[in-house]
Amino acid sequence: MAELMSIEDIQVLETVRAFLHREARLLDDRDFDAWIECYHPDAEYWMPSWDDDHELTTDPQTEISLIYYANRGGLEDRVFRIKTDRSSATSLPEPRHSHNLSDIEVLGRDGDTVHVRCNRLTGYFRYNNDMYYWGCAVVDIDLSGDKPQITKKKVVLKNDCIHQVIDDAMTEDELEKGYLPTCQSTPESDMSINIPSTSEVAKTSAVTFNGEVDMIERHSDSTIYFGIEIPDREELAFLPGQYVNIKVPGTDEIHSYSMSSGPDTDETTFMVRISEKGAMSEYLRDRAQEGEEIEFSGPFGSFFLRELKRRLLLAGGTGLAPLLSILAPLLSILEKLADSGTDQPVHLIYGVTREADIVGLDLLKGYEDPLSDFTWDYIASEEGTSAPHTGYVTQITEPEHLNEGDVDIYLWGPPPWSTPCPPGSTRRRSTPPTSTSSASPPRPRPAATTRPALRSPPTRSTPARPPRRRSRPWRPAC
């Protein structure tokens, strides 16, 4: 006679079955805050891809994955972008979906951790199109706490043909212009492709930190400079230009800010533009106290310092913050180049609207002597300010700054800045919000760093939408 399940085994199976169905329901109901709590802070989430031999990839650190987050911070960032309309994959109209689970089976137990396998079928409706994705998932669930929590999840998508652009791949405007992501293209001739590096490729991963506000300085009526002290500062490994998500104390609001300090400094500082109704603005202006606890997660973003070459840095308002972070490591790099007889000039142009927006000049002046190849200038659009120029950054961008197009342009500023890039520049997309204003803006246009948009080969016509199939030879998770 076959061995029967014990009462305890039945109870465990029913517990994990109810938990997994609840997790799926929360996702379908878009109750993202409750859904996130189904995952342990250190939970790994992995969706491997299929290689050219139709075998699943086995190492998320060295091979392409459809999705990989080393901990819950990646899921939290994804939810943040969805809720604030900063994800191109979830812009209006919002997709309707239904996650259906079946064949839930307990594979084994390791103390309070239960190893579970189930089959998945997800129905997805958008743009009057029905799509279905099926596969399976292997999930580790911790039952030691008051509520079950997922500590590890691996999702295998059996029909991995993506019919729509997923997070941060492209904007609707880029699609209308005929740009194509490589993972949805079939090359028909020789071509060169520039694939931008992401924070995952750079081996930085998102972590949640708890620290204290250790410095608050009001640089002007419109800008506050503040710092956060965290234990074990060396554990915050980020690339200059990246950003973190800060939870506004006393609220459930989360806002994104780029570090203005460099990755090798002891302090972690931020520059925030104060708005009338912003949650972070209200906190910093009216309530913030040194020594107060504050939480943030990160780093995130693909706006960071790339390989060394001639650079033009364009900063608008508090967009100066990530560029200050970039200047810090440039100091040692340029010193080494100077010793070897090589020069790589760096020029920064800082644009503001009014007198109250002019901040950080002393910080920029501090780089003049140690960086012999560093020059900078600033301009205000309103007349009558202390700025040496009146107008816009393009008016003081000289031909020598562009070096006949052989230059990397790093641009960070308000949304309109993504359109009037100087001639000869190439567009690069950034992941975080384009302005460090703490008020939640309408869907922003991404700021530029250096990514040329991908076009189809010249030997074929370019469709207005990506093709419905994905080419096997191209595997970047775009």
Side-chain angles (χ1 to χ4, degrees):
M1 181 177 178
E3 183 178 355
L4 300 178
M5 295 178 64
S6 67
I7 294 177
E8 182 182 4
D9 289 341
I10 295 174
Q11 290 174 332
V12 169
L13 176 61
E14 289 304 312
T15 298
V16 298
R17 178 180 293 160
F19 170 71
L20 290 175
H21 283 306
R22 178 176 179 270
E23 186 231 351
R25 174 180 61 78
L26 293 173
L27 196 56
D28 289 338
D29 292 346
R30 304 181 67 82
D31 189 352
F32 296 119
D33 292 335
W35 176 74
I36 281 290
E37 292 303 316
C38 293
Y39 289 81
H40 188 274
D42 296 326
E44 178 186 76
Y45 190 102
W46 182 29
M47 185 182 292
S49 65
W50 297 87
D51 64 19
D52 297 341
D53 297 321
H54 302 282
E55 298 290 336
L56 280 174
T57 55
T58 58
D59 187 349
Q61 300 296 335
T62 61
E63 298 177 286
I64 292 297
S65 300
L66 297 177
I67 298 175
Y68 178 72
Y69 298 123
N71 53 55
R72 192 175 74 180
L75 293 175
E76 291 171 345
D77 182 56
R78 194 179 185 95
V79 167
F80 171 76
R81 287 184 280 117
I82 291 172
K83 291 171 66 175
T84 56
D85 198 25
R86 287 169 181 161
S87 166
S88 58
T90 53
S91 57
L92 296 175
E94 294 179 346
R96 309 170 204 165
H97 45 72
S98 176
H99 293 75
N100 301 278
L101 308 180
S102 64
D103 303 327
I104 298 174
E105 176 186 3
V106 174
L107 301 179
R109 294 181 62 178
D110 183 8
D112 292 323
T113 300
V114 182
H115 309 291
V116 183
R117 186 192 187 281
C118 64
N119 289 332
R120 297 162 51 96
L121 174 64
T122 302
Y124 184 98
F125 178 81
R126 195 180 186 195
Y127 300 128
N128 293 324
N129 290 320
D130 294 312
M131 289 167 279
Y132 295 93
Y133 301 102
W134 60 86
C136 63
V138 178
V139 189
D140 289 354
I141 302 173
D142 181 14
L143 300 180
S144 63
D146 295 335
K147 297 180 181 179
Q149 278 194 314
I150 295 171
T151 58
K152 188 174 183 179
K153 187 171 188 177
K154 177 183 176 182
V155 178
V156 176
L157 186 63
K158 298 293 183 71
N159 62 325
D160 61 331
C161 180
I162 307 298
H163 294 288
Q164 76 283 338
V165 178
I166 62 177
D167 277 6
D168 293 317
M170 287 190 176
T171 65
E172 293 297 318
D173 182 58
E174 287 174 331
L175 290 173
E176 291 172 1
K177 291 179 180 178
Y179 297 164
L180 297 175
T182 53
C183 63
Q184 295 181 350
S185 308
T186 303
E188 294 183 356
S189 67
D190 293 340
M191 59 188 297
S192 297
I193 298 177
N194 183 7
I195 300 175
S197 299
T198 65
S199 54
E200 287 83 3
V201 173
K203 304 302 182 186
T204 62
S205 58
V207 180
T208 298
F209 295 90
N210 291 287
E212 293 182 352
V213 177
D214 67 345
M215 179 266 291
I216 306 171
E217 295 180 4
R218 192 170 192 119
H219 279 200
S220 71
D221 290 340
S222 66
T223 305
I224 287 181
Y225 188 68
F226 78 102
I228 299 177
E229 181 181 8
I230 57 174
D232 302 321
R233 167 61 182 81
E234 63 276 5
E235 293 185 7
L236 176 57
F238 67 93
L239 297 172
Q242 289 188 296
Y243 73 102
V244 296
N245 291 335
I246 301 178
K247 184 175 182 180
V248 182
T251 76
D252 293 327
E253 296 275 346
I254 297 176
H255 292 259
S256 300
Y257 297 99
S258 297
M259 281 73 74
S260 60
S261 52
D264 298 323
T265 59
D266 292 334
E267 68 274 6
T268 305
T269 58
F270 305 87
M271 189 178 291
V272 178
R273 180 178 176 84
I274 300 302
S275 61
E276 184 178 351
K277 297 181 179 180
M280 182 62 84
S281 295
E282 183 273 332
Y283 166 71
L284 291 173
R285 183 183 58 231
D286 303 331
R287 303 189 282 112
Q289 300 289 331
E290 293 185 8
E292 188 170 8
E293 293 185 357
I294 192 167
E295 177 185 308
F296 68 88
S297 61
F300 302 108
S302 57
F303 180 98
F304 55 81
L305 186 63
R306 303 306 206 278
E307 69 281 356
L308 187 64
K309 64 184 297 185
R310 181 186 292 264
R311 291 185 176 88
L312 174 61
L313 312 180
L314 303 177
T318 50
L320 181 63
L323 299 185
L324 287 173
S325 180
I326 283 176
L327 282 176
L330 274 179
L331 178 59
S332 59
I333 296 174
L334 293 180
E335 284 177 344
K336 293 178 181 178
L337 286 173
D339 293 341
S340 65
T342 305
D343 65 330
Q344 291 289 356
V346 176
H347 186 69
L348 182 145
I349 301 177
Y350 175 33
V352 298
T353 301
R354 54 198 176 101
E355 179 71 29
D357 299 333
I358 302 175
V359 298
L361 300 187
D362 290 341
L363 297 174
L364 293 173
K365 290 176 182 177
Y367 286 105
E368 290 178 351
D369 290 336
L371 290 176
S372 58
D373 286 326
F374 171 66
T375 56
W376 65 283
D377 204 349
Y378 66 107
I379 188 170
S381 58
E382 287 187 0
E383 295 183 356
T385 71
S386 59
H389 310 281
T390 301
Y392 302 97
V393 294
T394 50
Q395 295 173 233
I396 57 174
T397 303
E398 303 295 341
E400 58 265 27
H401 301 149
L402 300 175
N403 195 36
E404 297 182 348
D406 185 19
V407 62
D408 273 355
I409 297 178
Y410 290 73
L411 183 153
W412 195 276
W417 275 45
S418 62
T419 301
C421 288
S425 67
T426 54
R427 290 188 72 229
R428 285 186 183 169
R429 295 273 312 284
S430 69
T431 300
T434 60
S435 170
T436 52
S437 168
S438 64
S440 298
R443 179 183 177 87
R445 290 286 303 172
T449 53
T450 52
R451 189 185 83 172
L454 303 177
R455 295 183 180 273
S456 58
T459 56
R460 63 183 294 186
S461 60
T462 304
R465 290 277 176 180
R468 292 295 183 184
R469 59 177 178 163
R470 191 177 75 175
S471 170
R472 281 288 171 194
W474 301 101
R475 282 289 176 184
C478 57

